[in-house]
Amino acid sequence: MKCPYCSFVESKVIDSRPTDESTSIRRRRECLKCGKRFTTYEKLEAISLVVVKKDNSRQPFNRNKILKGIITACEKRPISIVQMESVADAIESELSQSMEREIRSTRIGEMVMEKLRDLDEVAYVRFASVYKQFDNIDTFMDELKGLMNGRKD
């Protein structure tokens, strides 16, 4: 591991511990040349997932795209970034644990909507309005009615 201060390539590990989510290991290191300390994180290399878009093109899975959509939907809502990241993490984890290596973008969109529906109804409607591309007020109202009926259950 290269030292961020002097670029020396050798360091010793002083302390190792799992992160709160136990998805990576945090290591405190000390440079053997300059003696300064720095932190690194080790994460298991995930098997790459491929997203199949509506036009059947394929692209690598990108958690940041999901998080960006969630952040946009939750703008000016009382939802912390930690909660938003937790939603993105849960979706990424669920997809990684499935045996599928190719996931349809529609499935990802449905997963985001499901998580947002539980987190914040306004964020859910915002995301759904973009994701489902409502072309008129009637389809938008149908979605709202479905949300209201689901709340009564």
Side-chain angles (χ1 to χ4, degrees):
M1 184 62 58
K2 188 187 276 188
C3 173
Y5 303 104
C6 71
S7 298
F8 191 63
V9 293
E10 292 187 37
S11 62
K12 67 178 178 180
V13 175
I14 298 169
D15 180 42
S16 288
R17 64 181 69 172
T19 58
D20 292 338
E21 309 85 36
S22 295
T23 57
S24 61
I25 296 175
R26 177 185 179 272
R27 297 198 192 279
R28 277 302 282 163
R29 296 179 178 269
E30 184 177 302
C31 176
L32 295 177
K33 183 177 178 187
C34 69
K36 294 198 177 181
R37 293 182 177 188
F38 56 98
T39 302
T40 60
Y41 292 88
E42 255 181 57
K43 189 172 185 175
L44 180 64
E45 187 174 6
I47 298 170
S48 61
L49 298 171
V50 175
V51 177
V52 181
K53 307 294 276 183
K54 290 178 183 177
D55 65 358
N56 283 326
S57 65
R58 287 164 168 71
Q59 60 182 238
F61 173 80
N62 185 344
R63 176 188 175 278
N64 290 334
K65 283 187 176 183
I66 293 173
L67 184 58
K68 183 180 175 189
I70 293 168
I71 289 171
T72 300
C74 294
E75 189 174 339
K76 297 183 181 178
R77 299 296 303 154
I79 301 165
S80 71
I81 190 71
V82 171
Q83 290 173 294
M84 292 181 236
E85 287 178 338
S86 177
V87 169
D89 289 344
I91 292 168
E92 181 180 27
S93 177
E94 192 174 323
L95 292 172
S96 295
Q97 291 175 8
S98 75
M99 298 312 283
E100 300 172 55
R101 295 298 137 223
E102 289 190 347
I103 292 102
R104 298 212 62 87
S105 60
T106 52
R107 180 170 172 220
I108 295 171
E110 295 291 332
M111 292 171 77
V112 172
M113 286 195 312
E114 180 183 314
K115 303 277 186 207
L116 285 178
R117 185 182 302 123
D118 296 338
L119 183 64
D120 184 90
E121 291 174 342
V122 172
Y124 163 78
V125 171
R126 286 178 179 169
F127 188 87
S129 69
V130 173
Y131 174 74
K132 291 189 175 186
Q133 299 175 337
F134 297 137
D135 53 358
N136 61 49
I137 193 71
D138 294 329
T139 55
F140 188 74
M141 289 304 293
D142 289 343
E143 187 67 30
L144 287 175
K145 287 176 187 172
L147 182 62
M148 295 298 289
N149 289 338
R151 188 192 293 168
K152 293 175 184 174
D153 294 339

